[in-house]
């Protein structure tokens, strides 16, 4: 899940304790939100200025309609912080890693909520721990 750190970053999520992930207006990103279930985990990716995965979030509420959508057709979830990564994983590292060649984060770079496969998740966590 992407956010510009100046708009809403990891530190703000930690301070808030939980937040609604609203304002997503792309059909594939919304489909990814609708697929999320309570207990699923997601990476928080700082886009634009930092271009790095910074932390892990838990989905605390799912299957909701975005409260900022007057038509009621867009999806949202609530998330809370789990932990910061041991070290951020940069977009440059992800692009350079053949094991992550098919990742939606790179293939669909404008997508604000990208699907991460279990293998991609484990690989990114291993990079962060190295």
């Amino acid at each position: 899940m992407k956010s510009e750190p100046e708009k809403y970053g990891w530190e703000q999520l930690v301070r808030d304790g939980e937040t609604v992930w609203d304002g997503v207006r792309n059909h594939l990103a919304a489909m990814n939100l609708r697929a999320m279930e309570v207990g699923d985990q997601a990476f928080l990716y700082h886009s634009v200025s930092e271009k790095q995965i910074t932390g892990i979030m838990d989905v605390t509420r799912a299957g909701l309609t975005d409260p900022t959508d007057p038509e009621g057709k867009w999806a949202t979830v609530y998330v809370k912080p789990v932990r910061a990564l041991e070290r951020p994983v940069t977009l440059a590292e992800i692009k350079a890693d053949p094991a992550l060649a098919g990742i939606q984060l790179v293939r669909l770079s404008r997508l604000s909520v990208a699907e991460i496969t279990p293998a991609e998740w484990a690989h990114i966590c291993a990079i962060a721990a190295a």
Side-chain angles (χ1 to χ4, degrees):
M1 300 171 87
K2 292 182 184 177
S3 182
E4 297 173 29
E6 298 81 14
K7 184 175 179 184
Y8 195 89
W10 178 258
E11 291 78 18
Q12 184 66 46
L13 177 60
V14 169
R15 280 192 298 273
D16 292 347
E18 182 182 57
T19 195
V20 59
W21 208 264
D22 60 8
V24 173
R25 298 296 186 267
N26 171 285
H27 290 285
L28 181 54
M31 186 175 76
N32 288 339
L33 282 173
R34 282 187 195 95
M36 293 179 174
E37 298 178 358
V38 171
D40 284 350
Q41 292 193 324
F43 289 124
L44 177 56
Y45 176 84
H46 281 177
S47 62
V48 184
S49 61
E50 293 182 4
K51 298 181 183 173
Q52 61 187 10
I53 298 172
T54 59
I56 297 174
M57 308 177 290
D58 265 339
V59 175
T60 57
R61 291 184 259 172
L64 304 171
T65 301
D66 188 332
T68 67
D69 173 19
E71 296 178 19
K73 67 179 185 175
W74 295 101
T76 194
V77 298
Y78 278 74
V79 294
K80 70 177 183 181
V82 174
R83 65 177 173 86
L85 293 182
E86 292 84 347
R87 70 168 187 84
V89 178
T90 68
L91 181 60
E93 288 177 286
I94 292 167
K95 285 182 172 182
D97 194 319
L100 298 172
I103 195 169
Q104 273 192 0
L105 178 68
V106 173
R107 283 189 309 104
L108 304 171
S109 63
R110 296 187 50 85
L111 194 63
S112 62
V113 180
E115 179 181 6
I116 303 292
T117 68
E120 292 165 343
W121 180 275
H123 195 74
I124 290 168
C125 288
I127 292 169

